[in-house]
Amino acid sequence: MTSSPASPIQLSIVIPAFDEERRLGATLSAVGKWADGRGSRVEVVIVDDGSGDGTLEIARSWASETISAGQVVPLVLAEPHRGKGAAVASGMLAARGAVRMFMDADLAVPLVFVERIVEEVRRGADIVIGSRELDQSRRLNEPWRRHALGRGFNWLVGRLGVSGFSDTQCGFKGFSADAAEDIFNRVLLYPARGGVIQRERVTAFDVELLAIAGRRGWQAVEVPIEWRHVPMSKVRPVRDAVSMLLDVLRVRWHLLRGAYD
């Protein structure tokens, strides 16, 4: 089954990318093949976060080869380097799908789990969070230290006002179009436009998204996923802990002063 080229875009997948030339090509090939078999149009938004390597060229080459083929609608955004949070915000606001989600360029979560995001939004959820901590979730090859730091961070987030989630940090989240427009237009730490250059900082921008969602009354659900630790990941748990803590404290301050209202 195929859909008309003029039919609405049902799903947008946003992929932020910074210096990802070693794996972006394989990722886009896998995403394109998966999306082309769904029977409805899928928009793939690649947001280059000011890469210094060939990431942008790989994305543009893939887009030019893909734009006239099948059900995949490519969109490439070239942004200055301001960090993953700003890249995700830019992509989510540029996306046009009824369901909009973001995922990491390392494909740490298999593409088969995308359908869980789509199904939950269609059932009425505003936000769907891929969780590595639910009973049916699976974590593969994760170093124990990273897991321990993650659990500690999630506990701290709950104490500081963003509670009720087993896993805030997994980079696999989906939104209805209305929720995405409302939330990503309100982010203060890493907005889609403006802000400071982050220099590869791993940040707690996910916490701000969930804080805004709670304050604005959007309903979020968690779904179990399979997540595989990727050795090339840019996450450095110990080094990033301080900057992530500062982000959470900033979010708490914004909540207390009503900045997201």
Side-chain angles (χ1 to χ4, degrees):
M1 176 181 177
T2 60
S3 60
S4 166
S7 61
I9 295 172
Q10 299 299 319
L11 170 66
S12 293
I13 299 176
V14 175
I15 304 175
F18 176 69
D19 287 352
E20 292 284 1
E21 68 175 3
R22 294 177 61 184
R23 58 189 172 193
L24 184 62
T27 294
L28 293 177
S29 178
V31 171
K33 183 178 180 181
W34 174 87
D36 202 35
R38 291 188 78 248
S40 61
R41 298 175 81 206
V42 177
E43 181 181 50
V44 180
V45 184
I46 308 104
V47 187
D48 179 69
D49 182 31
S51 297
D53 61 3
T55 297
L56 182 58
E57 289 71 23
I58 291 171
R60 285 174 169 168
S61 176
W62 178 82
S64 66
E65 295 171 358
T66 304
I67 195 166
S68 61
Q71 305 302 307
V72 183
V73 182
L75 175 62
V76 179
L77 303 180
E79 299 286 329
H81 181 43
R82 293 186 294 113
K84 179 180 177 182
V88 169
S90 295
M92 294 293 281
L93 291 175
R96 295 165 291 172
V99 180
R100 305 176 190 181
M101 66 171 296
F102 64 85
M103 60 186 295
D104 294 332
D106 59 13
L107 283 185
V109 179
L111 289 166
V112 294
F113 290 93
V114 172
E115 292 298 347
R116 292 191 181 181
I117 299 288
V118 175
E119 289 171 5
E120 291 296 334
V121 173
R122 286 177 176 169
R123 289 174 184 167
D126 301 309
I127 303 160
V128 186
I129 304 164
S131 173
R132 298 164 290 188
E133 296 295 334
L134 298 177
D135 289 342
Q136 295 179 327
S137 302
R138 296 183 65 202
R139 308 175 76 111
L140 305 176
N141 303 328
E142 183 181 32
W144 69 267
R145 182 175 297 176
R146 174 168 175 163
H147 191 192
L149 286 170
R151 290 297 82 217
F153 179 78
N154 208 68
W155 177 86
L156 179 62
V157 167
R159 303 290 79 72
L160 292 176
V162 183
S163 59
F165 303 106
S166 66
D167 184 4
T168 61
Q169 295 307 107
C170 183
F172 196 81
K173 294 181 175 67
F175 302 75
S176 68
D178 288 343
E181 291 287 344
D182 185 53
I183 292 169
F184 286 93
N185 271 306
R186 292 176 184 273
V187 294
L188 297 175
L189 300 186
Y190 307 101
R193 296 290 182 269
V196 296
I197 295 175
Q198 295 306 315
R199 306 291 184 192
E200 293 186 72
R201 274 183 57 190
V202 174
T203 64
F205 78 94
D206 302 77
V207 175
E208 185 177 39
L209 301 180
L210 298 178
I212 295 171
R215 180 57 63 93
R216 299 288 296 163
W218 297 107
Q219 299 301 309
V221 300
E222 291 185 288
V223 295
I225 58 167
E226 177 184 296
W227 178 86
R228 182 182 298 274
H229 173 68
V230 180
M232 287 173 59
S233 172
K234 297 183 179 68
V235 176
R236 300 172 176 86
V238 176
R239 192 194 71 175
D240 296 326
V242 174
S243 65
M244 292 177 73
L245 173 59
L246 290 175
D247 274 355
V248 174
L249 292 175
R250 292 185 186 105
V251 170
R252 179 60 177 167
W253 168 243
H254 290 321
L255 284 171
L256 289 174
R257 69 187 184 91
Y260 300 126
D261 296 338

